[in-house]
Amino acid sequence: MPPANSPANATPQGITALLPKFSDADSDIRYMSLSDLDNIFRTGASGFLLNEYHLCAKIVECLLKTLDDTNGEVQNQAIKCVGSLTQKAPPDILPPMIEKLSTLKTTNSIDNSIPATALRTFLTSFTRPSVGVQPSKSTQDAYSAISKVLIPRLVGYVVVSHGVKSQISPPPGMLEVQRDNSVDNDAIDIAIELIRCFGPMLLDVEKKALQKSIMAIFDNERTNAVAKKKAVAAISLLALYMSDALLSTFMSNTLQSFHGSRLTAAQHRLLINMMGSLARTVPQRFGRYVDSFIPIILAILSEQAYQSALEDTANNGATDSEAEEVREAALLTLEAFLLSCSNDMRPYTDESIEAALRFVAYDPNLAEEEDDEEMGGTQNGSGVEDEASSEIQEEEDFEEEGAVSDSEDASWKIRRCAAKALYAIISTRSNGDLLDNGVLYQRIAPVLIKRFHEREENVRLEIIDTMLALVRKTSDNRMTLFSFAGETEFELTSTVEARSRKRRRLGSDATLFDSPVSVSVLGAKSPELTPPPSSGPRGDLARLSNAIIQGVSKLLKQSTPATKQSGIALLHGIVLVQHGGLSEHFTKIAEPLIEALRSPSGLSSSQSVGMAASAGGGRLRIEALQLVSAICDFHSSAVIAPYIPNLVPAITAAAKDKYFKVSSQAIVAVESLAKVLTPPRSASAGQSNRSFVEKLYDVVLDRAIANDTDGEVRQRAIHALGILLARGSELNKTSVLSESQKLEATKVLLNRLKNEITRLSAVGAIDIFLNSAQDSKIIRKEWTQEVALELGSQLRKANRSLRGASLAALRDLAGNATALRHLDDETVRALASMLTPLISSSDLNLLGTALVILSKLVRQSPQHVVDQNLNKTLCNIVITPLAGAVLDALLVLLKAIGEQKVGQPLMQSLLQDVGVNGDPVIVGKAIGTLAVAGSSSVGVELQDFVTELQSAPDDKRRCLALSVLGEAGLRLGSSSPLEPDLFTKYFTSKSQSLPRAAATALGRAGAGNINRYLPVILSTTSKSGSSQYLSLHAIKEILQSTGQARADILPYTQQIWDKLLAASQAEDNKAVGAECIGRLTVVEPKTFLPSLEYLQDALPSVRGMAIQAIRYTLSDSDEAFDEVLRPLLIPMLTSMLNDDDLENRRLALGVLNSAMHNKSDMILPNFASLVPLVMKESKVKPELVREVQMGPFKHKVDDGLEVRKSAYETLYTLMEGAYSRIRPVDLFDRITAGLEDEHEIKVLCNLMLTKLVALDPEETGRHLDVIGERYRTILAFKPKDNAVKQEVEKLNEANKGVLKVTLLLHEVAMSNASSGSQVQSEKWKGYWEWIGKDFRTQLASVEQEVKSQVA
């Protein structure tokens, strides 16, 4: 019975009824009949034709007839039916079907490719087999038919007998040379499709036969160029599936062909192209043959060949076109080698650079104007500048004479290919390699600068882009510098001002949630302009900047829009990398830059009259606007001031442009220009800039309120309005906007805040404004209250970005003294009710900020904030496990409640409703803070808790009492009545929890009164056993909480040090002792940091303790400590990472990880020496893998797993912080190896790939084939039938992670394909098709999840 969704005639009888209609005279009937047939095939049951061989034979005959139909639409429908028939037809019908399709000759159709198209449709209709995966039965049947029929038809003889002793010889092969000395292009297409679809199943003998037939095409001189190009693609695709032996034989034969005596120039070029194609298709396998083929390529590009070409041109008066094509092919292949086999090409770096530099200047028609100095690459900056200037002028004279036309001279193709080869060297050999040792800037950059005068625009653009790539590689953080600068993130963490890693010790971590918007973001001050370093890549760029800017400035005055756009992009890159650099040259580029801003087409005014702005012109304008923004951000106002009268009209006109991308970027430029025109950057200008600021204000206001403005433009205009308000605030003492303008702007911001579309941008703008403004004439009471309530109402929205931005704005509103005074009691009560729901552990980031805001509101109007609802919520949050900045923010709020004398109800709730239900440490801190701040107003006294400690019947209550007393002792300081013995007497308790609680409380109380407590604690440290261990915990608490009492602890530091060293020898004390030693070292670094000589101790445990101690110093230190640490850190790290003990090396990796987070300025100068040590620890070491007998089973234990995990975690940190200093090939080698490691390491590798997609998509694209193979292995793994639930869940989690990263990586593959990248990634394409079929449901689910997360 057919399926329910099948048509009623999805039966053999229904098909039989359709067959006569294929011969109908009406083409529409023939078409509809074929459509019905296709529908039957697609919807019918899978086996409804398996026993209908004769019917299928009739169907094939009818389809063959319709393939030769006179109507094209009928033919196309017949081709579709061929594909759908193969899914339902019996296997026996496939061989004769292929035979008839391959011999079909069309007589009624003008399109002779129809049979070939039908055959390709036949091949693609089956599920593609994958290496290592069992193919389906239908695919196996199809391959059997292909092996019997199609391959013999292609090559012209029977390749595999399939058990048949006598076979009829097939007709001449489709790939053989025809009678007219040509090769059928369609046959090559069929071969390509055959290899692509069934390559993994082909036998070696079949691959060899196809290879022989395809290579024969190269030997035929009369074969057309299209066929030869397709043959190159076919042989490269076939190489994917060749065995190592077959590939080796093929390479040997090809190498012999290069040395053949009858090798023509055309054949030479084809063989070279084939080598380049093979390098791109199978880079990992081709790498071993680079040594054999690169000498051939370099010989073609040698100095001798170069001079010979120039001499031949001079003697003959024209270039040899065939020789030129060979050189072009050689340069393309050199580029492919450099991109695909960069590791194998390292020994040939110098020769490759010389060859590319030699031919980037190859212009035989201008040979008399060139000299050998061009090849040296050792000129200084001024020499390059002067020579570039003179050559540009000479080039102009040459073009005016019209000596050679483009149609006569094709040498520009060689120069362009040479520029691409240089680009390949820069893109693959910069990170931690040729960029750091100066080769790129000393040898390549000077030649590129001199070639800015290139007369052919295609080559000129390639040269400028290559120079731009080098500039971008010079940046330490390319993802940040060259990302789209206009996006604004409104997460709370993005508004926190950058701060040192120093951990504040007395509850001040709450300031993490109480930080205003960065003043540099607001524009309240200019970014710090630091000079470039004297050495390193940035120093090299600085020395050549003058020459680059000189060359580009000339191009901006007299070149095409495309060249101007590239030149401006290059200048933009220099400004971003150097944080300036145009101060001395701005006069040269200002005029053409302003001209580019004015003209929609990017042409001069006289040329652009009556012309609409083209897409290219719009792009030029955007580039110019981006450069103006960067110049304003990184240069002093004095540099820009002379050009303000021309810049302001040009930018305001661009802001009104109808092309939204232009106007959007213009608004960004308005922001940057506004910072230049307003104090403090232009404080000396006084009111002279007011008219210009007003013009900027008018255009921003218009863009913000106009209904016809594009959404992106309006959002940026609102943000710019906030910047203008902040710059014109009372904080700057000089107002460049009138009071009426400011009031109008505040009304617009409030109006935009109420609009759902513009709300997020308005929240950010208001946040910026409130951070700076203090004038009560502008921040009016009604406006403030309405804004506060509107912001509070957004806290209930589902949009997390909006909630976070609104909370950040409320934080700055509460921190603004003027705005806070304007909040009446009702508004405060309403805000408190809106903030209370955020006091939940579900989002700690929002929780911390909400607590800080509430603490400010409590001080403003305590009676209207603290109510029963808030008390209940605080009791609920105290029970949850809090730590760090969030806990400190909670304590700040409790302190404010106590100080305002409204804490008694809360205290009662904490004691009665919470009590011992929560963590005694957290609850004790909360009660202790409230008790000290509220003193007698909270209804309890300190003595009550002492009594509770002494009389409580259970340990939980005693632990809570100890925690309360410890916190109270800390906050009371020297006025505390508590004595040390109140805590120490519980050290000997038999309870499991009470001694530890007593030690912690003793340390907290001791931090408030060092002189009274510390001597007692140190005396306890001299004892052995548990008392010593507990005293170490007390010392740890003191060192963590010392804060302002640091001076009190200094007299005891040497005594503490000696006690710690002695106590830490015990095994149980090592961990806490190491932490104490580290924290004490921070207190007095000059004394104790050099004393950490235990890295050389004979005992591994002692060395391990010293390593852990160093780690604790890194995150909790200040500038004085850094000065002592700087000369010691790298030797220490090197010694640690080379330790003989496995566990110590794991600890050392953790230290390096922490150092990269906290002391990156010390790590980066020595980065190159540390990375190899980390790479070494990421490798699997067989000697660490042992076999353990567990009952009747044997289990492998890898002792090196934990070290490898730490190594990959450290690699991730190093990559994230300084990717530009790591060799990409080495990094990707470790990542692909990690994808074959244990689950935890696979997860880390997936995270690294996710980051690399953004950091370096180009390099990531080159490794997609290997990554695809690893991912295929992961997804193809099937758990055992008796696998436990945890194993299945772990596998599903791993598969989900792989699919998520696959989606990101496929975007890179698509980008490479659309941009015409050299990277082909054939294996990745097969992997993508495979998961699209076998994991369709999971992939769709993951894709939907990713989209929802982005939304």
Side-chain angles (χ1 to χ4, degrees), residues 863-916:
Q863 301 297 336
H864 297 87
V865 176
V866 182
D867 56 15
Q868 185 178 358
N869 186 29
L870 178 62
N871 292 339
K872 182 179 179 181
T873 305
L874 289 176
C875 290
N876 291 335
I877 200 65
V878 166
I879 298 176
T880 60
L882 301 177
V886 177
L887 177 57
D888 290 331
L890 173 63
L891 298 181
V892 168
L893 174 57
L894 294 174
K895 181 180 178 183
I897 293 173
E899 290 174 344
Q900 298 302 318
K901 310 302 181 185
V902 290
Q904 183 173 2
L906 177 58
M907 177 62 79
Q908 295 301 319
S909 297
L910 288 172
L911 293 174
Q912 296 175 9
D913 300 336
V914 178
V916 296

Side-chain angles (χ1 to χ4, degrees), residues 929-1201:
T929 300
L930 185 61
V932 173
S935 62
S936 60
S937 67
V938 296
V940 294
E941 296 180 355
L942 199 59
Q943 185 60 39
D944 296 335
F945 295 103
V946 175
T947 304
E948 177 74 8
L949 173 63
Q950 297 172 346
S951 61
D954 58 84
D955 290 342
K956 287 186 177 181
R957 296 181 184 277
R958 290 184 179 182
C959 289
L960 178 58
L962 283 168
S963 181
V964 172
L965 292 171
E967 189 68 23
L970 172 65
R971 295 185 177 274
L972 289 172
S974 59
S975 62
S976 171
L978 304 176
E979 294 295 333
D981 61 353
L982 178 66
F983 305 99
T984 56
K985 65 183 180 181
Y986 292 100
F987 280 16
T988 57
S989 172
K990 296 182 180 180
S991 169
Q992 293 184 352
S993 56
L994 200 58
R996 181 67 176 271
T1000 303
L1002 176 64
R1004 297 287 289 179
N1009 195 340
I1010 298 292
N1011 295 324
R1012 187 193 303 180
Y1013 278 77
L1014 191 53
V1016 175
I1017 297 173
L1018 290 176
S1019 65
T1020 311
T1021 309
S1022 303
K1023 300 178 181 179
S1024 60
S1026 61
S1027 295
Q1028 187 181 64
Y1029 173 78
L1030 294 171
S1031 65
L1032 289 179
H1033 275 282
I1035 293 174
K1036 182 187 75 171
E1037 287 295 329
I1038 290 177
L1039 294 173
Q1040 281 182 324
S1041 311
T1042 301
Q1044 297 178 353
R1046 181 170 181 170
D1048 295 336
I1049 203 174
L1050 288 178
Y1052 301 94
T1053 52
Q1054 187 61 53
Q1055 188 179 357
I1056 297 173
W1057 179 266
D1058 296 336
K1059 297 284 187 181
L1060 288 175
L1061 291 182
S1064 299
Q1065 300 300 317
E1067 189 65 33
D1068 292 341
N1069 298 344
K1070 287 191 186 304
V1072 65
E1075 183 174 354
C1076 291
I1077 290 172
R1079 298 192 185 283
L1080 182 62
T1081 302
V1082 175
V1083 174
E1084 202 168 348
K1086 292 183 180 180
T1087 302
F1088 299 122
L1089 190 56
S1091 299
L1092 285 177
E1093 302 167 344
Y1094 296 93
L1095 294 173
Q1096 308 299 329
D1097 195 277
L1099 291 176
S1101 59
V1102 177
R1103 297 197 303 271
M1105 181 190 67
I1107 293 171
Q1108 292 184 75
I1110 293 172
R1111 181 175 184 179
Y1112 284 111
T1113 68
L1114 297 175
S1115 60
D1116 191 4
S1117 55
D1118 53 19
E1119 291 74 11
F1121 176 84
D1122 289 351
E1123 291 304 315
V1124 182
L1125 178 65
R1126 195 176 304 276
L1128 301 175
L1129 180 58
I1130 299 303
M1132 285 180 173
L1133 283 172
T1134 304
S1135 176
M1136 287 186 260
L1137 291 169
N1138 286 299
D1139 197 288
D1140 295 333
D1141 186 74
L1142 191 66
E1143 177 62 15
N1144 285 349
R1145 292 203 302 275
R1146 184 188 70 80
L1147 295 173
L1149 288 167
V1151 174
L1152 176 56
N1153 197 335
S1154 179
M1156 189 62 194
H1157 278 295
N1158 299 284
K1159 311 291 180 188
S1160 59
D1161 58 319
M1162 301 182 194
I1163 298 296
L1164 294 180
N1166 301 276
F1167 202 81
S1169 62
L1170 295 173
V1171 171
L1173 298 177
V1174 181
M1175 296 277 191
K1176 182 179 71 173
E1177 296 302 330
S1178 68
K1179 298 178 180 179
V1180 177
K1181 298 178 180 178
E1183 65 272 17
L1184 297 178
V1185 180
R1186 53 193 173 88
E1187 203 171 64
V1188 178
Q1189 189 80 27
M1190 299 182 66
F1193 305 103
K1194 291 183 179 180
H1195 179 65
K1196 287 187 177 181
V1197 176
D1198 188 352
D1199 294 328
L1201 177 59

Side-chain angles (χ1 to χ4, degrees), residues 449-461:
I449 297 169
K450 289 176 63 179
R451 293 308 301 173
F452 283 176
H453 74 281
E454 168 64 48
R455 58 192 175 88
E456 177 62 39
E457 185 173 31
N458 286 334
V459 184
R460 186 166 60 242
L461 294 176

Side-chain angles (χ1 to χ4, degrees), residues 617-633:
R619 188 62 219 171
L620 170 61
R621 211 172 182 190
I622 292 171
E623 290 285 359
L625 288 164
Q626 289 176 339
L627 177 57
V628 169
S629 299
I631 291 172
C632 291
D633 289 339

Side-chain angles (χ1 to χ4, degrees), residues 502-518:
K502 180 179 178 181
R503 186 180 303 162
R504 298 167 179 83
R505 295 185 179 84
L506 194 56
S508 59
D509 279 354
T511 56
L512 288 171
F513 300 103
D514 194 21
S515 300
V517 180
S518 170

Side-chain angles (χ1 to χ4, degrees), residues 27 197 252 325 331 748 800 951 994 1079 1094 1165 1181 1213 1331:
S27 61
C197 295
S252 299
E325 290 178 353
L331 285 165
V748 170
R800 189 179 185 278
S951 61
L994 200 58
R1079 298 192 185 283
Y1094 296 93
K1181 298 178 180 178
T1213 302
I1331 63 170

